[in-house]
Amino acid sequence: MSLLYVNENGATIGVEANKCVVQYRDGMKKMIPIESLEGITIMGQSHLTTKCAEECMCRGISVAYFSKGGKYFGRLMSTDHINVQRQRKQSALYDTDFAMKLGQKILSAKVKNQSVVLHRYEKSREILLDEEQKMMRICKEKILNCSRIEEMIGFEGQAAKYYFQGLSKCIEQNFRFRGRSRRPPKDEFNSMISLGYSLLMNEVYCKIEMKGLNPYFGFIHRDAEKHPTLTSDLMEEWRAVLVDATVMGIINGNEISKDDFVKNLDEPGCYLNKNGVGILIKKLEKKFQTDVKYLDYVDYPVSFRHAMMLQMNQLVKAIESEDATQYLPIQIR
C-alpha cells in the first residue's frame, strides 16, 4: 500500500480508469492504481474532485488536508470502518487501571527509544552524553513507578527535555537548536520534526480509523476538544524511531540546506519551503517502507508502516480483553 502526497498549489486530484490521477498546473500528470492507495495527503490549495472523494470514501482511503507549512486542518472520513461496540469499550477504559498500565508501557518504551536514538548519534559524533542518558534512565524508572497519569506525563516531559538537549549537541553546527519549540517552530530542526510529527499523526490516525476505534478517545493524553488524543498516545513510541532519526539523518548527511526554509509563511516561525518539504517527505516515506524486526511478537521483518498496523491489532486485543499487558510497544535496539 502507498500514500500520495500532493505538495503543490493548484493541482487537481481525480480518478480515471481505476487510477488516482494528479494533474499539475504545468500539465504534468501522476498516476497511482487506486487499489494500492492507502491515503492522500494534500498540502496547500489543491482540488479533490467529487468523483475522487466518493471513490476514496467507498474504498476507505484516508484524505488529509494540511497547510503548506504543515498545519493539520482535517480529513475526509468514511463510515465503513466504524465499530460502535469497540468504541464503547474504548471509552469505558478511560481513567481506569488499564489506561495507567498502557501509559506506562508506551511512555517507558518512548524514553527507551529516545535513549537508543541519542546513543547512536553520540557514538557517530564521538561525544559522551552521560548526564542526559542518566536523567532519561531515571525518568523512565519514575514512569514505571507512577501512581497517576499526570505524574507519568510529567516525567515523560522531563525525559524529552534531556533528550532534545542531547540531540542538539549531536547535530550539524548550522542546524543547532535550543530545545523543542512547537507553535510556531522557531528554527529549522523544529520545523522539520513538527512537519514529520504531523505526517506521522496522519499515518496513525488512518490506522486507528481502519480498526474501528475513535481517534479522540485517548488513554494517556487527557481529553481535549478538537484533539485526537488516542492518535497522540499511539504516536509516542514512534516519534524518535521514525521522525527524529530521519531528520537527524537528513541534517547530518548534508541533504538539506538553510535555503530550503522560509520565515513567516503562514504565521511567525520557520518553515520548510516546497523543496524542503519534498526532501523530508521522500526520506520519511522511505523510512516508513523500511523492513525491521523490532516487534517482539513477530519473528519476520515487516515495514515500519505495516508494524504500525500490527500495533493497532495489538491495541484492539488489549481493549477487547481489558488487559493492557496484551499491548507490546515497539522498542528499538
Side-chain angles (χ1 to χ4, degrees):
M1 301 294 283
S2 59
L3 262 73
L4 170 64
Y5 295 92
V6 181
N7 173 32
E8 197 165 315
N9 288 331
T12 298
I13 307 155
V15 176
E16 296 176 14
N18 217 31
K19 289 184 174 64
C20 183
V21 180
V22 185
Q23 178 79 54
Y24 295 98
R25 285 188 298 183
D26 61 6
M28 288 186 62
K29 278 188 177 183
K30 181 176 183 179
M31 298 186 180
I32 298 176
I34 203 156
E35 294 91 346
S36 68
L37 195 57
E38 181 178 325
I40 300 172
T41 299
I42 299 173
M43 306 185 72
Q45 298 177 4
S46 290
H47 172 63
L48 186 76
T49 68
T50 301
K51 183 179 178 183
C52 186
E54 290 173 353
E55 194 72 25
C56 287
M57 286 188 285
C58 288
R59 293 175 178 267
I61 296 170
S62 170
V63 180
Y65 293 87
F66 293 81
S67 72
K68 292 293 285 183
K71 180 181 178 181
Y72 174 68
F73 292 132
R75 62 204 304 112
L76 185 68
M77 294 178 64
S78 166
T79 59
D80 278 1
H81 299 295
I82 292 175
N83 187 318
V84 175
Q85 293 305 314
R86 188 171 288 170
Q87 289 189 18
R88 287 189 186 279
K89 276 200 166 186
Q90 175 191 353
S91 176
L93 292 172
Y94 183 72
D95 269 345
T96 65
D97 188 56
F98 176 94
M100 186 70 199
K101 289 180 178 177
L102 183 70
Q104 287 177 318
K105 291 172 77 70
I106 289 176
L107 293 185
S108 62
K110 175 187 181 178
V111 177
K112 169 68 168 22
N113 291 338
Q114 288 176 327
S115 179
V116 172
V117 168
L118 189 57
H119 178 67
R120 289 176 181 176
Y121 285 101
E122 65 177 310
K123 187 176 180 182
S124 67
R125 305 293 279 191
E126 297 182 342
I127 60 175
L128 290 175
L129 298 171
D130 291 345
E131 180 65 17
E132 287 85 355
Q133 292 283 16
K134 174 187 172 184
M135 295 307 298
M136 290 171 68
R137 283 194 298 273
I138 291 172
C139 289
K140 178 174 176 284
E141 289 305 312
K142 294 282 189 182
I143 288 169
L144 290 170
N145 289 287
C146 281
S147 58
R148 295 190 306 114
I149 286 179
E150 291 78 9
E151 287 181 323
M152 187 167 57
I153 292 172
F155 287 121
E156 181 273 324
Q158 284 293 308
K161 184 183 82 170
Y162 288 107
Y163 167 66
F164 284 114
Q165 178 178 298
L167 276 190
S168 70
K169 298 175 182 179
C170 299
I171 205 165
E172 200 273 326
Q173 187 68 35
N174 288 338
F175 290 93
R176 285 280 169 90
F177 64 99
R178 298 187 177 207
R180 181 78 176 102
S181 60
R182 294 172 177 80
R183 300 182 187 90
K186 295 179 180 178
D187 52 60
E188 292 83 4
F189 177 84
N190 276 289
S191 174
M192 293 182 77
I193 63 170
S194 289
L195 177 56
Y197 292 158
S198 291
L199 297 174
L200 175 60
M201 180 205 72
N202 186 41
E203 291 270 349
V204 175
Y205 194 120
C206 173
K207 290 166 177 58
I208 289 172
E209 282 189 330
M210 290 173 71
K211 289 299 173 183
L213 296 170
N214 191 313
Y216 290 83
F217 294 170
F219 298 106
I220 306 168
H221 294 84
R222 304 291 80 190
D223 285 349
E225 186 180 359
K226 300 178 183 177
H227 182 73
T229 50
L230 181 63
T231 310
S232 291
D233 291 352
L234 300 180
M235 282 173 60
E236 297 292 13
E237 65 197 78
W238 299 102
R239 288 179 187 264
V241 178
L242 292 172
V243 178
D244 301 352
T246 297
V247 169
M248 290 292 287
I250 290 171
I251 292 174
N252 287 344
N254 297 312
E255 297 177 57
I256 201 164
S257 74
K258 292 217 168 187
D259 292 337
D260 294 312
F261 298 84
V262 293
K263 304 280 184 171
N264 299 320
L265 182 62
D266 293 325
E267 56 188 71
C270 179
Y271 299 91
L272 288 150
N273 63 17
K274 178 184 172 183
N275 188 62
V277 169
I279 291 169
L280 178 59
I281 286 176
K282 183 177 179 181
K283 293 294 289 189
L284 200 51
E285 182 62 23
K286 184 177 180 181
K287 187 80 169 183
F288 285 143
Q289 295 180 19
T290 301
D291 286 343
V292 292
K293 292 184 69 175
Y294 288 137
L295 296 179
D296 290 340
Y297 54 88
V298 175
D299 59 2
Y300 52 87
V302 296
S303 71
F304 277 119
R305 179 168 281 136
H306 185 50
M308 281 189 267
M309 181 57 80
L310 293 176
Q311 289 296 80
M312 295 304 157
N313 293 340
Q314 292 290 304
L315 181 63
V316 168
K317 289 179 184 176
I319 289 171
E320 292 187 339
S321 65
E322 300 183 19
D323 180 6
T325 64
Q326 293 285 321
Y327 189 80
L328 301 175
I330 189 169
Q331 296 194 58
I332 61 173
R333 297 177 287 277

